[in-house]
Amino acid sequence: MATGSAYWTYQTQALVAGTLNARNAATTYWFEYGPTTAYGSETDGLPLDGGVKAVPVYGNIAGLSSHTTYHFRLAAQNPFGTTYGADRSFTTP
């Protein structure tokens, strides 16, 4: 699992990305985000069918404030447990 970049940011929303290998198990993934590394908010969980290769995943973050730095990370859960990607950040215009 790897947290990727914020592909685009607008004043109130951003598209964030990452890569995820489900290790052949049904997996749910989401992105945690907030103004600090305590995050505090998350996107809706999305399903990822089990596979054995890393695939790109995306999340749309909305309701943001302009001119603000946000931290985010990819999170995923399957029968093997819950894992988290590294912290990344972006600033809204």
Side-chain angles (χ1 to χ4, degrees), residues 40-82:
S41 298
E42 60 187 44
T43 62
D44 291 336
L46 296 171
L48 180 67
D49 291 332
V52 294
K53 293 183 179 181
V55 296
V57 293
Y58 302 93
N60 186 35
I61 298 174
L64 304 177
S65 298
S66 62
H67 307 288
T68 304
T69 297
Y70 288 91
H71 292 263
F72 71 100
R73 69 178 177 182
L74 175 61
Q77 184 175 44
N78 65 21
F80 300 108
T82 303

